Structure formats: C-alpha cells, structure tokens
Amino acid sequence: KNEVEQSPQNLTAQEGEFITINCSYSVGISALHWLQQHPGGGIVSLFMLSSGKKKHGRLIATINIQEKHSSLHITASHPRDSAVYICAVSPDMEYGNKLVFGAGTILRVKS
Amino acid sequence: NAGVTQTPKFQVLKTGQSMTLQCAQDMNHNSMYWYRQDPGMGLRLIYYSASEGTTDKGEVPNGYNVSRLNKREFSLRLESAAPSQTSVYFCASSPRRGSGTQYFGPGTRLLVL
C-alpha cells in the first residue's frame, strides 16, 4: 500500500464547478504539501500545511491530522486550472526526513 | 533570480552511453534533490543532498551517481544508461531538509533507446 493515496486519479469538470481532490496518508507527518504540474510544465508548490486550512485565491487546502486526510478544493473552476495536482507529505523524524509523493490527480476543466 | 535551472531540457541516449544532468539554484538553499517521474507513478527520490558536502540515497538510486559540487550545483550522472531510465528528471531545492517547501526545476526529459 502506498504511503500517500490520492483520489480521484482523473477528474473532468465543467467550468464553474466546485472541485475536491482528496489525499490520505498512512505515516506520521510534520507537513503536507499540495503541488501543481501543468502539461509539459514544471512543478509548483501551492500549499504547505500542518494543521487547519489555507486559502490562496480560488484554492483552499484543508488537513485533518487525526484522520490523516487532506483535501484540495478549487472554487469556480476554470480551464486554466487543468493540471496534475500532487499531494506530498513530509514524514516526521521517526519515518525519515524526505517528501513522499502521491501519484497525482489529473484534472481537466472544460469550457 | 532564475530559481532552479536544469540542463539539458531533452536528451536521447543509446543504451550504455553516459551523461550528466546539471542542476543549479540561486536561492542559497541548503538542500537539493533529484527525482524521476514516470507515468502513473508519483515522483520518486533518486538522491538528495541535505547540505553542501553530503549526499544520500533516496528510494531509487541504482544506476545513478550524484555530486554536490558546491552549494549551488547538484549533478546527476548516469554511467551506463538503460531503457528503464527513460523518464522525466526533476531537480529541486529547499531551504532545509524535510518539511520545507521545495522549489522545482523545469525538468529534463530523457529517452534511452
């Protein structure tokens, strides 16, 4: 079983829809990261969080440490949001000190 | 600031050939990383350097070597390329090892025939 699981693997939405991408992890962590990768493009860090909720524009990230679960929400989705969204965790010292990545969620927003 | 730069952007090799992927960062970061990304799989750590002068193996180090030349530069070498090393390679850096935000380079697409 992978240490970081994302769902769904693929997601197609209509422009304007509210989108949720989920991430579950099985190890103790010091932080969780959400990253974005556009087709053929580089990887950009969107959020790093260790508790609660963070918001940046139309993007909202939440984390529940007790349930080992995080969600990334996109409000009023737009075709330019089409990308791969990657969840990654920083395991705490007990598990080693490196990022562990999920396989990513491919999002396509149609106009 | 250029951030994290990688060269080359694209390379085709024949099986058995060698090459070095270059990575440099101008953010004065201590830690640097090399990942590979394959379809359907998450990024996998090949090697990392927590600080200048140190390197450690990651999840998939076989067939690769690295050099942390100085604080700015971290290179990845394939001594004898194999088709299984066809992948997209990303270099990243962070102010500190572990929980800090990582900044990624644009990637190098490698095809081994």
Side-chain angles (χ1 to χ4, degrees), chain B residues 36-50:
Chain B
R36 59 178 290 172
Q37 185 180 43
D38 300 294
M41 304 184 75
L43 286 154
R44 292 183 292 169
L45 183 64
I46 304 171
Y47 270 95
Y48 65 99
S49 171

Side-chain angles (χ1 to χ4, degrees), chain A residues 30 37 48 90 97 99 101-102, chain B residues 35 37 42 90 98-99 101-102:
Chain A
S30 57
Q37 184 176 25
M48 182 177 75
S90 303
N97 204 2
L99 284 186
F101 294 83
Chain B
Y35 297 96
Q37 185 180 43
F90 287 95
S99 61
T101 296
Q102 292 192 9

Side-chain angles (χ1 to χ4, degrees), chain A residues 67-79:
Chain A
E67 295 188 3
K68 290 187 164 62
H69 181 269
S70 175
S71 294
L72 176 68
H73 306 287
I74 305 175
T75 62
S77 60
H78 189 276

Side-chain angles (χ1 to χ4, degrees), chain A residues 20-57:
Chain A
T20 296
I21 299 169
N22 296 299
C23 176
S24 297
Y25 54 92
S26 57
V27 297
I29 67 169
S30 57
L32 182 140
H33 307 252
W34 282 102
L35 307 105
Q36 180 191 57
Q37 184 176 25
H38 278 106
I43 299 168
V44 176
S45 179
L46 297 174
F47 295 104
M48 182 177 75
L49 63 167
S50 54
S51 65
K53 177 178 168 178
K54 286 191 175 180
K55 184 174 189 288
H56 181 68

Side-chain angles (χ1 to χ4, degrees), chain B residues 26-111:
Chain B
D26 61 2
M27 297 174 281
N28 201 36
H29 285 171
N30 288 315
S31 299
M32 297 185 74
Y33 310 83
W34 275 106
Y35 297 96
R36 59 178 290 172
Q37 185 180 43
D38 300 294
M41 304 184 75
L43 286 154
R44 292 183 292 169
L45 183 64
I46 304 171
Y47 270 95
Y48 65 99
S49 171
S51 60
E52 186 179 356
T54 69
T55 61
D56 287 288
K57 294 179 180 179
E59 186 183 351
V60 288
N62 290 347
Y64 305 95
N65 285 301
V66 290
S67 295
R68 183 77 183 264
L69 304 168
N70 47 56
K71 192 169 186 180
R72 290 187 65 248
E73 297 172 289
F74 189 38
S75 62
L76 178 72
R77 182 159 178 85
L78 288 70
E79 290 291 352
S80 178
S84 60
Q85 294 178 304
T86 293
S87 188
V88 181
Y89 291 85
F90 287 95
C91 176
S93 70
S94 70
R96 64 184 188 280
R97 180 180 165 190
S99 61
T101 296
Q102 292 192 9
Y103 298 81
F104 287 80
T108 294
R109 192 172 295 272
L110 176 66
L111 175 62

